[in-house]
Each structure stands twice: as C-alpha cells, then as structure tokens.
Amino acid sequence: MRLFLDTANPDQIRTAASWGILDGVTTNPTLMAREGREPRELVREIARWVSGPISVETTSLDAEGMIQEAREFVGWAPNVVVKVPMTPEGLRAVVALRGEGIRTNVTLVFTPVQALLAAKAGATFVSPFVGRLDDIGHVGMDTVRQAVEILRRYGFPTQVLAASLRHPLHVLEAARAGADIATMPFATMEQLFRHPLTDQGLERFLADWRRLQAELSSRTAAPAGGS
Ligand code: G3P
C-alpha cells in the first residue's frame, strides 16, 4: 500500500520524504491557497522532494478548460497527475486526457458508483473522500470498500486512493479495505509512528544501556586486586 501526503507544504513533504516512506502527494485548491504561493513554483519545489505522483487540481468547470489546465500542469513536473472533479465534464476531460497519455485523479467521489464511472472513463486514480462522509453521519470507509470490490471484480486498472483521511484508524481501515493508496495530512502520517509503549520501551532500553556503560567504566577505573 502506498502512502501519500495530502498537503502543498514543501517543508512537510521534505520531512516525510526523509523518512523513506513517502510515495506521492495530493493537493487541492484549499491546500494550495493555504501556502499562498504561485502554484507552478510551488509544484516545482514539491517535485524536488517527491518522485511519485503529485496531484494538482483543475478549477475549470468545462472539459475544455480542464484539458487546457492539464496540459499546462504536466509541463511543471514530469510526475504531475491532473485532478478533476467527479462531474460529467470532469469525466469528458478524463477520456480526452487518457488519449493524450496524461494521468488523472477523479476527486470528490462519495459513492462506489461514482468510482465505477471514473474507472470506466479511464481515470488513473479515483479518490473517495472518507472524512467528509463521516462528518455527515455516513460510514465513509464503506465507499472505499465497495469501490475496491467493484473495480477489482471487473479488472479495472484504476487505483483507489482513499482521501479525506483524518486519523490513523482511517489509514488502518483503508489498508484493510484494500485501497491502493492512502493520502493523509502530515500530522496523521506522524501519528502512524507513535505508540506510548514504543516510547517507554526505548526509554527503558537506553536507561539500562547507560547503566551498563557506567558499570563497565567504573570496573575499568577500579585497580585490580585491591591490595
Ligand atoms: O485532497 C482531498 C482531501 O483529502 C480533503 O480532505 O480533510 O479536507 O476532507 P478533508
């Protein structure tokens, strides 16, 4: 399973890349706006730290506009993937971009049938949003589970990218559901490392090691024989 960061912050991306477990990045207009920088320069900087897919989202509402944006985005870095919304125009764009060899990520997916449509159009990735469904009282992970089931049953090559994940349990459930990718905020990725018993265990090992070193050096310091 691949792990992506859902951020446009280069410092976070650089840090996660240094951990050796970062497979890609997803962005959206909200995350871009948070950085307040010129998008092309920002994406180019991100591409310095990550060689896996970097999703950059279109903001046009018509297919022609999305296609134009897509052609521009892929010129920014070779690993850019074009994110388009789950609309009829978005899927028209996916079909056209597929013909041009441009990879796409269909976003704002909330039902398994939307995922099926994206796969039929030839999307490279489809992004079911988990947290936003949880927010309105639905079980967001059900969409991921059913999308994986349907796409595998029919042999679609489209990869399921579980998005809008908010905490480690979401990541666990996405992995168990068979999602190809989980994308998450930096804080969630950091949390994946953590367990209080890991911290306590490490502390105890180091304390014991220090005690051993002190004992050995006091033995070397003490004169042999004693008389
Ligand atoms: O990039 C899309 C997605 O991951 C958004 O997450 O937390 O804003 O619902 P969130």
Side-chain angles (χ1 to χ4, degrees):
M1 190 200 204
R2 278 170 293 154
L3 302 179
F4 286 14
L5 264 191
D6 196 31
T7 183
N9 183 284
D11 292 337
Q12 294 181 344
I13 292 163
R14 194 182 57 234
T15 304
S18 76
W19 297 334
I21 54 151
L22 183 66
D23 299 305
V25 166
T26 49
T27 69
N28 62 38
T30 305
L31 296 170
M32 287 283 196
R34 208 171 279 167
E35 299 307 308
R37 288 176 52 185
E38 205 278 308
R40 184 180 55 175
E41 292 317 309
L42 187 55
V43 170
R44 284 189 172 156
E45 187 178 342
I46 291 170
R48 285 173 55 201
W49 308 113
V50 62
S51 57
I54 303 169
S55 287
V56 182
E57 191 158 342
T58 57
T59 50
S60 301
L61 292 177
D62 62 307
E64 285 66 31
M66 291 179 204
I67 293 163
Q68 268 184 16
E69 284 185 72
R71 289 179 184 147
E72 190 194 335
F73 293 170
V74 296
W76 294 352
N79 44 342
V80 165
V81 169
V82 179
K83 224 172 171 186
V84 301
M86 176 61 226
T87 60
E89 288 298 298
L91 294 198
R92 276 185 60 208
V94 167
V95 173
L97 293 171
R98 185 183 174 203
E100 295 184 22
I102 294 177
R103 293 183 298 168
T104 52
N105 175 0
V106 175
T107 189
L108 292 167
V109 165
F110 294 94
T111 73
V113 177
Q114 288 181 320
L116 172 63
L117 295 183
K120 283 183 69 68
T124 317
F125 305 98
V126 61
S127 293
F129 278 31
V130 175
R132 291 191 193 185
L133 277 170
D134 290 356
D135 288 345
I136 59 161
H138 291 260
V139 181
M141 201 56 70
D142 282 352
T143 306
V144 173
R145 229 171 264 121
Q146 291 174 32
V148 168
E149 180 195 337
I150 294 167
L151 269 50
R152 299 258 160 90
R153 177 166 306 168
Y154 290 98
F156 287 108
T158 303
Q159 297 165 56
V160 176
L161 192 164
S164 183
L165 304 181
R166 309 266 177 79
H167 47 71
L169 196 53
H170 273 157
V171 180
L172 170 66
E173 287 175 355
R176 294 190 66 195
D180 299 283
I181 300 156
T183 190
M184 67 204 80
F186 180 78
T188 303
M189 192 175 276
E190 252 191 332
Q191 277 181 293
L192 299 183
F193 286 91
R194 308 231 176 271
H195 194 280
L197 290 179
T198 304
D199 298 341
Q200 281 171 31
L202 182 61
E203 214 172 281
R204 196 181 304 167
F205 284 153
L206 295 182
D208 289 343
W209 188 253
R210 278 193 302 272
R211 213 182 47 243
L212 171 67
Q213 298 303 315
E215 202 179 304
L216 292 176
S217 63
S218 73
R219 265 192 233 158
T220 333
S227 58

